[in-house]
Amino acid sequence: MHVERQKQVTLQAEYILYLSCKSVKIKEVMSALERFAPLPLQEDWDNAGLQVGLTETEASGALLCLDVNERIVDEAIRKGCNLIVSHHPLLFRGLKQISDADYVQRTAMKAIRAGVAVVSMHTNMDNARGGVNFKMAEKMGLEGVEFFAPKGGGIDAGSGVIGSLPGPMAADDFVISLKKQFDVECAQCNELLRRPIRRVAICGGAGDFLLGEAIKAGADAFVTGEMHYHVYAGHEQQVQICVIGHYQSEQYTSEIFKSIIGEACPHLPLFIAETNTNPIIYL
């Protein structure tokens, strides 16, 4: 009888240890993300990091997404997640009130009421090695990918990457391939290049500030999410500009989050959001 009792106590202790190994606090998820993409890598105007919530809370699950709105919080609640990890920050500017005045305030209020924390990894994830631009390059099958606009100062980070296609492509074939890879309904391009495309520069999101650097780096094509109208002009037969949409260019960022968190916290349930938060529709 004593032996059986001892076995029961041992099994209970092992089960408690198993549960303790499974549990992870929100701050531990944040630490894993910040080890990969340290917050100091973010741009001065950005607001990456904790947006809403308590970091000492045990995480029940994480919903991974590009943007945060009320529908994303609802999806997190449905899936039993008390943590949302987004690319775009919910809070870009300081709030003077939290009411129902706009979607940002309503979303923050809903998250607080539901006990859902929101963490955002924005330009620090753009600038990190293995981050947003490297994921885009992976989807495009580029080889030898490196930063073409490094941050400098001995920091292994940069605003854009450049790599080579496995083989040269005609400009029209390149654009068609790009649309398939990123599920793009239409791409905004300048005049089609009349030479093969081999070297491709990338900047996810709004990247027109890097067009000149991409040309200097020897890019045959420059792929980004959005560009101002006048920036397209004057580069005919110099570089193939391909603008595929801000949301579309960064849509695979959630896969990076899943890989980082999954490795550091293997028992934490992770979900890539099913809610499409792209505010732009194509008619």
Side-chain angles (χ1 to χ4, degrees), residues 216-233:
K216 288 179 185 177
D220 299 306
F222 179 63
V223 179
T224 189
E226 61 178 284
M227 277 182 36
H228 289 88
Y229 172 79
H230 291 287
V231 183
Y232 288 82

Side-chain angles (χ1 to χ4, degrees), residues 196-213:
I197 292 174
R198 295 180 175 85
R199 298 280 284 166
V200 181
I202 298 171
C203 180
D208 55 13
F209 70 102
L210 283 178
L211 179 59
E213 292 294 323

Side-chain angles (χ1 to χ4, degrees), residues 29-57:
V29 179
M30 291 177 59
S31 293
L33 291 165
E34 290 174 23
R35 283 194 298 272
F36 185 93
L39 291 180
L41 292 184
Q42 69 179 306
E43 303 297 335
D44 293 340
W45 47 264
D46 201 6
N47 187 41
L50 180 67
Q51 308 285 295
V52 171
L54 303 175
T55 61
E56 289 290 341
T57 305

